[in-house]
């Protein structure tokens, strides 16, 4: 069962890398994509990603429990869960509000919210494969 926990952790890892570090930056380089359009697409994509991540986070917890995974696997998993929680509960609502202002043609003041979100994505990118590897160790 620990192998399932590892598979869940690596699947979650792959989704974060694919969306946050491939799709998102490339979207803004596509011909004809305006900032407002890119932000509108991003809002939809990240809402879906975060929902999928929440399901995977619950699945990871369930499989870590069921597989009696080593205690060490729980630490990076908890780091990933905490990062996701902060993104969903704190950062994404604020980023959504900024995006809506821009989509409506406004010009919000500068913000470092995206940097915080990216930092938490990087933390998950480190924590998830570590949790997966430790789950089967």
């Amino acid at each position: 069962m620990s192998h399932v926990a590892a598979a869940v952790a690596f699947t979650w890892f792959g989704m974060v890398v694919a969306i946050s570090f491939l799709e998102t930056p490339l979207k803004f380089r596509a011909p004809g994509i305006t900032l407002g359009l890119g932000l509108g697409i991003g809002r939809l994509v990240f809402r879906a990603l975060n929902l999928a991540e929440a399901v995977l986070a619950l699945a990871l917890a369930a499989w870590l429990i069921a597989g009696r995974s080593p205690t060490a696997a729980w630490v990076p998993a908890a780091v990933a869960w905490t990062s996701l929680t902060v993104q969903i509960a704190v950062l994404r609502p604020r980023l959504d509000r900024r995006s809506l202002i821009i989509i409506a043609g406004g010009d919000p003041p500068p913000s470092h919210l995206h940097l915080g979100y990216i930092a938490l994505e990087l933390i998950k990118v480190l924590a998830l494969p570590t949790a997966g590897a430790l789950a089967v160790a």
Side-chain angles (χ1 to χ4, degrees):
M1 290 214 201
S2 294
H3 287 63
V4 176
V8 170
F10 283 110
T11 299
W12 182 2
F13 164 80
M15 291 178 71
V16 170
V17 170
I19 296 298
S20 295
F21 298 105
L22 290 175
E23 183 276 338
T24 298
L26 291 175
K27 163 182 57 210
F28 289 101
R29 298 172 113 181
I33 295 292
T34 63
L35 178 60
L37 184 56
L39 290 173
I41 294 167
R43 290 180 72 238
L44 292 173
V45 168
F46 275 93
R47 186 177 307 130
L49 174 64
N50 289 157
L51 177 60
E53 286 184 282
V55 170
L56 290 168
L58 292 172
L60 180 58
W63 285 109
L64 286 174
I65 292 167
R68 295 181 189 86
S69 296
T71 305
W74 284 85
V75 174
V79 168
W81 297 325
T82 302
S83 296
L84 177 62
T85 301
V86 171
Q87 287 175 315
I88 291 172
V90 178
L91 294 177
R92 222 187 77 229
R94 292 175 183 173
L95 288 167
D96 278 347
R97 285 193 293 275
R98 283 184 53 77
S99 294
L100 289 173
I101 292 169
I102 294 168
I103 291 167
D107 187 23
S111 168
H112 296 293
L113 293 172
H114 276 98
L115 295 177
Y117 198 95
I118 293 166
L120 291 171
E121 292 290 75
L122 289 169
I123 289 169
K124 286 189 297 190
V125 164
L126 296 172
L128 289 166
T130 303
L134 290 172
V136 293

